[in-house]
Amino acid sequence: MFIAVHGGAGNLSQKSDKEVRKILRTACQCAQAENDTSPRDVIQHVETAIKVLEDADVFNAGYGSNLTLSQTVECDASIMSARLQDFGAVGSLASVRNPIRVARELLGVNRVPDSLGRIQPMLLVGQGAQDFAQRFPDTIVPPESLITPKARELWLRWTNDGNDEVMQDTVGAIAFGKGDDGLLDGAAGVSSGGLLLKYPGRVGEAAIYGAGCWADMQNGIGILCSISGAGEYIMRAALAKSASEAVSKALQFDEDIHDALEQVFTSFCNNTKRRDPRRPNAGAIIMTSVEKEDDVQVRLWVVFTAASMSIAYKSPGMPKVKSEVLRHPNPTASDPSIYITAITLE
């Protein structure tokens, strides 16, 4: 199985570097261990990886999420499969430690025809999402148990003096793997606590189709994408879908993927700055697979405009998980260059 995870595009301090990389490695390791015993459902492995990140208080997802204006935790999450392009998402969900679990359960419901002939939902928000989550009692927790001392302190600092510290954003995972039918499949997912001091009921890109994650596989080409950053602007750009389609087109016509990604993210930055003069904040991990005869070529792309982006990844040919924090060489420029790198996976 090929898997990659990210801890968000943001401004990770040097003192948090080691802890973040360790948790990202653990997320990959847990997904890989599960794949060794149950290799058929790549969606499950993406869910497993993201649950590890949601359980860690250093990320803005699940436990330790940013607090709303009302000092509560409300989370968004989504997950998507590549071969069938099934999608499940929840928004503004409270009292659930692992929102990605509920999103995945909704994806499962979406796959089953309704007995009354209704179109099954792929997104539930607020009370509707909460009612659906009640079907899975093991996911429900007291709302106050999701609030960490660090999240409370950050809320108080921003409320009192507008401190400009930036907390890590949406976490996510992407994975390719072969099932017992020998066919390659993939999945992508995201999870987020959303903006600090957001209005209760606000839904961000992590729950929106085409914005927070994307997965597609056709004509021997697979594309998986997981996004992080400024949700309102990412939703306007349908950034996960836009970036994935640009990469897919480049692969089909043997064009430069680096150039394709630079064009998409340059357009995102330019359109964002028309509305907001501050530095545009977005990042993505994108995994591509190209099937050629009996071989599959897999590559991981990382692109971001923020000061840093933390990632980890593992492939069958690697002896262990690799994790790193990528840092923008010029993080304070008013017209930010776009950091893009590619990693070949074997």
Side-chain angles (χ1 to χ4, degrees):
M1 181 179 70
F2 299 86
I3 185 163
V5 301
H6 70 83
N11 186 14
L12 182 65
S13 66
Q14 295 283 351
K15 67 180 182 179
S16 301
D17 189 304
K18 184 176 181 180
E19 181 182 11
V20 165
R21 287 189 291 111
K22 179 181 178 181
I23 297 168
L24 292 173
R25 283 197 302 271
T26 299
C28 283
Q29 289 164 349
C30 289
Q32 184 65 55
E34 188 170 63
N35 179 69
D36 293 340
T37 59
S38 176
R40 291 177 294 177
D41 190 353
V42 71
I43 297 173
Q44 178 65 51
H45 308 322
V46 166
E47 177 194 343
T48 296
I50 293 177
K51 283 165 71 174
V52 172
L53 305 180
E54 290 175 333
D55 287 341
D57 65 355
V58 298
F59 299 116
N60 175 26
Y63 176 63
S65 288
N66 284 332
L67 301 186
T68 69
L69 278 169
S70 301
Q71 300 189 63
T72 58
V73 168
E74 293 183 0
C75 296
D76 307 325
S78 64
I79 193 164
M80 185 173 184
S81 69
R83 196 190 298 177
L84 298 176
Q85 288 204 298
D86 293 319
F87 180 83
V90 290
S92 190
L93 179 64
S95 303
V96 171
R97 189 177 182 104
N98 295 119
I100 194 66
R101 160 78 188 285
V102 185
R104 197 239 175 182
E105 295 288 359
L106 186 60
L107 181 149
V109 168
N110 195 255
R111 285 178 162 177
V112 180
D114 181 70
S115 59
L116 300 178
R118 298 170 297 183
I119 296 175
Q120 297 283 41
M122 64 180 191
L123 167 64
L124 294 174
V125 301
Q127 190 59 51
Q130 200 67 42
D131 292 344
F132 180 78
Q134 295 292 333
R135 300 185 186 186
F136 318 102
D138 59 306
T139 69
I140 307 300
V141 296
E144 63 274 10
S145 70
L146 297 174
I147 301 174
T148 63
K150 184 168 69 173
R152 182 78 74 188
E153 178 188 357
L154 189 61
W155 186 94
L156 289 170
R157 273 212 305 273
W158 272 78
T159 302
N160 293 331
D161 58 21
N163 186 289
D164 63 356
E165 178 181 346
V166 178
M167 188 176 181
Q168 289 289 286
D169 201 71
T170 309
V171 302
I174 51 181
F176 279 123
K178 287 188 176 181
D180 58 1
D181 57 4
L183 297 177
L184 192 67
D185 199 3
V190 283
S191 181
S192 179
L195 298 172
L196 177 62
L197 300 180
K198 67 182 180 181
Y199 287 102
R202 178 261 189 187
V203 175
E205 89 284 355
I208 302 303
Y209 183 81
C213 68
W214 191 256
D216 190 17
M217 185 171 290
Q218 53 185 314
N219 302 322
I221 294 176
I223 308 288
L224 305 174
C225 178
S226 182
I227 295 282
S228 172
E232 272 61 25
Y233 301 127
I234 288 171
M235 288 186 283
R236 287 177 179 274
L239 193 56
K241 186 174 186 286
S242 298
S244 296
E245 289 180 342
V247 170
S248 180
K249 179 177 178 291
L251 285 169
Q252 290 177 52
F253 295 97
D254 197 25
E255 297 172 349
D256 192 318
I257 293 178
H258 184 284
D259 288 348
L261 285 172
E262 188 170 46
Q263 289 176 16
V264 170
F265 276 79
T266 296
S267 176
F268 167 80
C269 290
N270 290 340
N271 289 334
T272 297
K273 294 194 76 171
R274 290 169 56 191
R275 305 180 63 87
D276 189 337
R278 293 172 296 182
R279 181 185 180 90
N281 178 24
I285 54 173
I286 301 172
M287 195 179 289
T288 63
S289 72
V290 180
E291 297 182 68
K292 295 185 176 180
E293 297 178 354
D294 294 331
D295 184 37
V296 179
Q297 298 175 355
V298 181
R299 179 170 286 191
L300 175 66
W301 292 83
V302 185
V303 51
F304 60 93
T305 65
S308 66
M309 190 159 185
S310 53
I311 64 168
Y313 51 93
K314 173 75 170 65
S315 69
M318 294 171 55
K320 60 181 180 180
V321 176
K322 182 174 179 58
S323 65
E324 54 188 314
V325 177
L326 302 174
R327 297 189 181 277
H328 201 294
N330 193 14
T332 59
S334 58
D335 292 318
S337 59
I338 298 162
Y339 185 108
I340 304 175
T341 188
I343 302 164
T344 300
L345 303 178
E346 300 178 353

Short mmCIF file of all heavy atoms in Angstrom, two decimals, residues 47 51 54-55 62 90 93-105 129-143 145-146:
data_model
loop_
_atom_site.label_atom_id
_atom_site.label_comp_id
_atom_site.label_asym_id
_atom_site.label_seq_id
_atom_site.Cartn_x
_atom_site.Cartn_y
_atom_site.Cartn_z
N GLU A 47 -9.16 6.15 6.75
CA GLU A 47 -9.87 6.49 7.99
C GLU A 47 -8.98 6.24 9.20
O GLU A 47 -8.90 7.08 10.11
CB GLU A 47 -11.15 5.66 8.11
CG GLU A 47 -11.90 5.91 9.40
CD GLU A 47 -12.98 4.87 9.68
OE1 GLU A 47 -13.37 4.14 8.76
OE2 GLU A 47 -13.43 4.80 10.85
N LYS A 51 -7.82 9.06 11.93
CA LYS A 51 -8.23 8.93 13.33
C LYS A 51 -7.05 9.13 14.28
O LYS A 51 -7.20 9.73 15.35
CB LYS A 51 -8.88 7.56 13.56
CG LYS A 51 -10.30 7.47 13.04
CD LYS A 51 -10.79 6.04 12.95
CE LYS A 51 -11.03 5.42 14.29
NZ LYS A 51 -11.65 4.08 14.16
N GLU A 54 -6.63 12.81 14.44
CA GLU A 54 -7.72 13.43 15.21
C GLU A 54 -7.53 13.23 16.71
O GLU A 54 -7.98 14.06 17.51
CB GLU A 54 -9.06 12.84 14.78
CG GLU A 54 -9.50 13.25 13.39
CD GLU A 54 -10.78 12.55 12.96
OE1 GLU A 54 -11.04 11.42 13.45
OE2 GLU A 54 -11.51 13.10 12.11
N ASP A 55 -6.90 12.14 17.11
CA ASP A 55 -6.71 11.84 18.53
C ASP A 55 -5.54 12.59 19.15
O ASP A 55 -5.35 12.56 20.37
CB ASP A 55 -6.49 10.33 18.73
CG ASP A 55 -7.77 9.53 18.55
OD1 ASP A 55 -8.87 10.13 18.62
OD2 ASP A 55 -7.69 8.31 18.33
N GLY A 62 -10.60 16.96 15.45
CA GLY A 62 -11.02 16.10 16.54
C GLY A 62 -10.63 16.68 17.89
O GLY A 62 -10.90 17.85 18.21
N VAL A 90 -19.31 15.15 6.79
CA VAL A 90 -20.08 15.74 7.89
C VAL A 90 -19.54 17.13 8.16
O VAL A 90 -18.35 17.40 8.01
CB VAL A 90 -20.00 14.89 9.17
CG1 VAL A 90 -20.77 13.59 9.01
CG2 VAL A 90 -18.55 14.61 9.56
N LEU A 93 -20.01 19.25 13.18
CA LEU A 93 -20.34 18.08 14.01
C LEU A 93 -19.71 18.23 15.39
O LEU A 93 -18.50 18.47 15.51
CB LEU A 93 -19.83 16.81 13.33
CG LEU A 93 -20.05 15.48 14.06
CD1 LEU A 93 -21.53 15.18 14.20
CD2 LEU A 93 -19.34 14.35 13.32
N ALA A 94 -20.50 18.08 16.43
CA ALA A 94 -20.02 18.20 17.81
C ALA A 94 -20.11 16.85 18.52
O ALA A 94 -20.78 15.93 18.06
CB ALA A 94 -20.85 19.25 18.56
N SER A 95 -19.41 16.75 19.65
CA SER A 95 -19.52 15.59 20.55
C SER A 95 -19.07 14.29 19.91
O SER A 95 -19.51 13.21 20.31
CB SER A 95 -20.96 15.44 21.07
OG SER A 95 -21.38 16.61 21.73
N VAL A 96 -18.18 14.35 18.91
CA VAL A 96 -17.65 13.16 18.26
C VAL A 96 -16.13 13.29 18.20
O VAL A 96 -15.61 14.27 17.66
CB VAL A 96 -18.22 12.99 16.84
CG1 VAL A 96 -17.48 11.88 16.09
CG2 VAL A 96 -19.70 12.67 16.91
N ARG A 97 -15.43 12.32 18.75
CA ARG A 97 -13.97 12.41 18.80
C ARG A 97 -13.35 12.20 17.43
O ARG A 97 -12.33 12.81 17.10
CB ARG A 97 -13.42 11.38 19.80
CG ARG A 97 -11.92 11.56 20.06
CD ARG A 97 -11.40 10.60 21.09
NE ARG A 97 -9.99 10.80 21.36
CZ ARG A 97 -9.48 11.40 22.42
NH1 ARG A 97 -10.30 11.89 23.33
NH2 ARG A 97 -8.18 11.52 22.59
N ASN A 98 -13.94 11.31 16.62
CA ASN A 98 -13.39 11.01 15.30
C ASN A 98 -14.41 11.28 14.19
O ASN A 98 -15.10 10.38 13.72
CB ASN A 98 -12.93 9.55 15.23
CG ASN A 98 -11.77 9.25 16.17
OD1 ASN A 98 -11.88 8.43 17.07
ND2 ASN A 98 -10.66 9.92 15.97
N PRO A 99 -14.52 12.54 13.75
CA PRO A 99 -15.48 12.89 12.70
C PRO A 99 -15.29 12.09 11.42
O PRO A 99 -16.26 11.82 10.70
CB PRO A 99 -15.23 14.37 12.48
CG PRO A 99 -14.61 14.85 13.74
CD PRO A 99 -13.81 13.72 14.27
N ILE A 100 -14.04 11.68 11.11
CA ILE A 100 -13.80 10.93 9.88
C ILE A 100 -14.53 9.60 9.91
O ILE A 100 -14.96 9.10 8.86
CB ILE A 100 -12.28 10.72 9.66
CG1 ILE A 100 -12.01 10.25 8.22
CG2 ILE A 100 -11.70 9.78 10.67
CD1 ILE A 100 -12.33 11.25 7.16
N ARG A 101 -14.72 9.03 11.08
CA ARG A 101 -15.46 7.77 11.21
C ARG A 101 -16.91 7.97 10.74
O ARG A 101 -17.47 7.14 10.02
CB ARG A 101 -15.42 7.28 12.66
CG ARG A 101 -16.50 6.27 13.06
CD ARG A 101 -16.20 4.87 12.60
NE ARG A 101 -17.35 3.99 12.84
CZ ARG A 101 -17.72 3.51 14.03
NH1 ARG A 101 -17.03 3.81 15.13
NH2 ARG A 101 -18.77 2.71 14.14
N VAL A 102 -17.53 9.06 11.16
CA VAL A 102 -18.91 9.32 10.80
C VAL A 102 -19.03 9.61 9.30
O VAL A 102 -19.97 9.16 8.64
CB VAL A 102 -19.48 10.49 11.63
CG1 VAL A 102 -20.96 10.68 11.33
CG2 VAL A 102 -19.27 10.24 13.12
N ALA A 103 -18.05 10.34 8.75
CA ALA A 103 -18.04 10.60 7.31
C ALA A 103 -17.94 9.30 6.53
O ALA A 103 -18.62 9.10 5.52
CB ALA A 103 -16.88 11.53 6.95
N ARG A 104 -17.11 8.41 7.03
CA ARG A 104 -16.95 7.12 6.33
C ARG A 104 -18.21 6.28 6.42
O ARG A 104 -18.59 5.58 5.47
CB ARG A 104 -15.76 6.37 6.92
CG ARG A 104 -15.27 5.26 6.01
CD ARG A 104 -15.32 3.92 6.70
NE ARG A 104 -14.95 2.87 5.75
CZ ARG A 104 -14.94 1.60 6.07
NH1 ARG A 104 -15.29 1.22 7.28
NH2 ARG A 104 -14.62 0.69 5.18
N GLU A 105 -18.88 6.31 7.55
CA GLU A 105 -20.14 5.58 7.69
C GLU A 105 -21.19 6.14 6.73
O GLU A 105 -21.98 5.38 6.15
CB GLU A 105 -20.64 5.65 9.13
CG GLU A 105 -19.76 4.96 10.17
CD GLU A 105 -19.83 3.44 10.10
OE1 GLU A 105 -20.58 2.91 9.25
OE2 GLU A 105 -19.13 2.79 10.90
N ALA A 129 -26.17 15.76 11.24
CA ALA A 129 -24.95 14.97 11.37
C ALA A 129 -24.86 14.35 12.75
O ALA A 129 -24.45 13.19 12.92
CB ALA A 129 -23.72 15.84 11.09
N GLN A 130 -25.27 15.13 13.77
CA GLN A 130 -25.23 14.63 15.15
C GLN A 130 -26.19 13.46 15.32
O GLN A 130 -25.85 12.45 15.96
CB GLN A 130 -25.60 15.76 16.11
CG GLN A 130 -25.14 15.54 17.53
CD GLN A 130 -23.64 15.58 17.65
OE1 GLN A 130 -22.98 16.42 17.05
NE2 GLN A 130 -23.07 14.67 18.41
N ASP A 131 -27.38 13.55 14.76
CA ASP A 131 -28.36 12.46 14.86
C ASP A 131 -27.84 11.22 14.16
O ASP A 131 -28.00 10.09 14.66
CB ASP A 131 -29.69 12.89 14.23
CG ASP A 131 -30.39 13.97 15.04
OD1 ASP A 131 -30.02 14.18 16.21
OD2 ASP A 131 -31.31 14.61 14.48
N PHE A 132 -27.20 11.39 13.00
CA PHE A 132 -26.64 10.24 12.28
C PHE A 132 -25.52 9.59 13.09
O PHE A 132 -25.42 8.36 13.17
CB PHE A 132 -26.11 10.69 10.92
CG PHE A 132 -25.51 9.58 10.11
CD1 PHE A 132 -26.30 8.66 9.43
CD2 PHE A 132 -24.13 9.45 10.02
CE1 PHE A 132 -25.74 7.63 8.69
CE2 PHE A 132 -23.55 8.43 9.27
CZ PHE A 132 -24.37 7.52 8.61
N ALA A 133 -24.69 10.40 13.74
CA ALA A 133 -23.58 9.87 14.54
C ALA A 133 -24.07 9.03 15.72
O ALA A 133 -23.37 8.12 16.18
CB ALA A 133 -22.70 11.02 15.05
N GLN A 134 -25.29 9.30 16.20
CA GLN A 134 -25.84 8.54 17.32
C GLN A 134 -26.02 7.06 16.98
O GLN A 134 -26.15 6.22 17.88
CB GLN A 134 -27.19 9.15 17.74
CG GLN A 134 -27.11 10.56 18.29
CD GLN A 134 -26.40 10.65 19.64
OE1 GLN A 134 -26.38 9.68 20.41
NE2 GLN A 134 -25.82 11.79 19.92
N ARG A 135 -26.03 6.73 15.69
CA ARG A 135 -26.12 5.33 15.30
C ARG A 135 -24.88 4.54 15.71
O ARG A 135 -24.90 3.31 15.73
CB ARG A 135 -26.30 5.21 13.78
CG ARG A 135 -27.53 5.87 13.19
CD ARG A 135 -27.62 5.55 11.71
NE ARG A 135 -28.70 6.27 11.05
CZ ARG A 135 -29.07 6.07 9.79
NH1 ARG A 135 -28.40 5.17 9.06
NH2 ARG A 135 -30.05 6.75 9.25
N PHE A 136 -23.82 5.26 16.00
CA PHE A 136 -22.54 4.63 16.32
C PHE A 136 -22.09 5.14 17.69
O PHE A 136 -21.26 6.04 17.78
CB PHE A 136 -21.51 4.95 15.24
CG PHE A 136 -22.11 4.88 13.84
CD1 PHE A 136 -22.45 6.04 13.16
CD2 PHE A 136 -22.38 3.66 13.26
CE1 PHE A 136 -23.02 5.98 11.90
CE2 PHE A 136 -22.95 3.59 12.00
CZ PHE A 136 -23.27 4.74 11.31
N PRO A 137 -22.67 4.57 18.76
CA PRO A 137 -22.47 5.10 20.12
C PRO A 137 -21.01 5.19 20.54
O PRO A 137 -20.67 6.04 21.36
CB PRO A 137 -23.24 4.10 20.99
CG PRO A 137 -24.24 3.47 20.08
CD PRO A 137 -23.58 3.41 18.74
N ASP A 138 -20.16 4.34 19.99
CA ASP A 138 -18.75 4.37 20.40
C ASP A 138 -18.04 5.63 19.94
O ASP A 138 -16.93 5.93 20.40
CB ASP A 138 -18.02 3.14 19.86
CG ASP A 138 -18.06 3.04 18.34
OD1 ASP A 138 -19.17 3.07 17.79
OD2 ASP A 138 -16.99 2.93 17.72
N THR A 139 -18.67 6.39 19.02
CA THR A 139 -18.04 7.62 18.54
C THR A 139 -18.39 8.83 19.41
O THR A 139 -17.74 9.86 19.33
CB THR A 139 -18.48 7.94 17.09
OG1 THR A 139 -19.88 8.30 17.09
CG2 THR A 139 -18.26 6.75 16.18
N ILE A 140 -19.44 8.73 20.21
CA ILE A 140 -19.96 9.89 20.95
C ILE A 140 -19.17 10.12 22.24
O ILE A 140 -18.92 9.18 23.01
CB ILE A 140 -21.45 9.69 21.28
CG1 ILE A 140 -22.25 9.36 20.02
CG2 ILE A 140 -22.00 10.93 21.96
CD1 ILE A 140 -22.17 10.42 18.94
N VAL A 141 -18.80 11.37 22.50
CA VAL A 141 -18.08 11.74 23.72
C VAL A 141 -18.70 13.02 24.28
O VAL A 141 -19.37 13.77 23.56
CB VAL A 141 -16.58 11.96 23.44
CG1 VAL A 141 -15.90 10.68 22.98
CG2 VAL A 141 -16.38 13.08 22.41
N PRO A 142 -18.50 13.30 25.55
CA PRO A 142 -18.96 14.59 26.10
C PRO A 142 -18.28 15.73 25.37
O PRO A 142 -17.07 15.68 25.12
CB PRO A 142 -18.53 14.52 27.57
CG PRO A 142 -18.35 13.07 27.85
CD PRO A 142 -17.87 12.45 26.59
N PRO A 143 -19.02 16.77 25.00
CA PRO A 143 -18.42 17.85 24.20
C PRO A 143 -17.22 18.50 24.86
O PRO A 143 -16.27 18.88 24.18
CB PRO A 143 -19.58 18.84 24.03
CG PRO A 143 -20.62 18.44 25.01
CD PRO A 143 -20.45 16.98 25.26
N SER A 145 -14.96 17.12 26.54
CA SER A 145 -13.78 16.26 26.48
C SER A 145 -12.93 16.51 25.23
O SER A 145 -11.79 16.05 25.15
CB SER A 145 -14.20 14.78 26.52
OG SER A 145 -14.84 14.40 25.32
N LEU A 146 -13.45 17.24 24.26
CA LEU A 146 -12.71 17.56 23.05
C LEU A 146 -11.89 18.83 23.18
O LEU A 146 -11.09 19.15 22.30
CB LEU A 146 -13.68 17.71 21.87
CG LEU A 146 -14.49 16.47 21.48
CD1 LEU A 146 -15.51 16.82 20.41
CD2 LEU A 146 -13.56 15.35 21.00
#
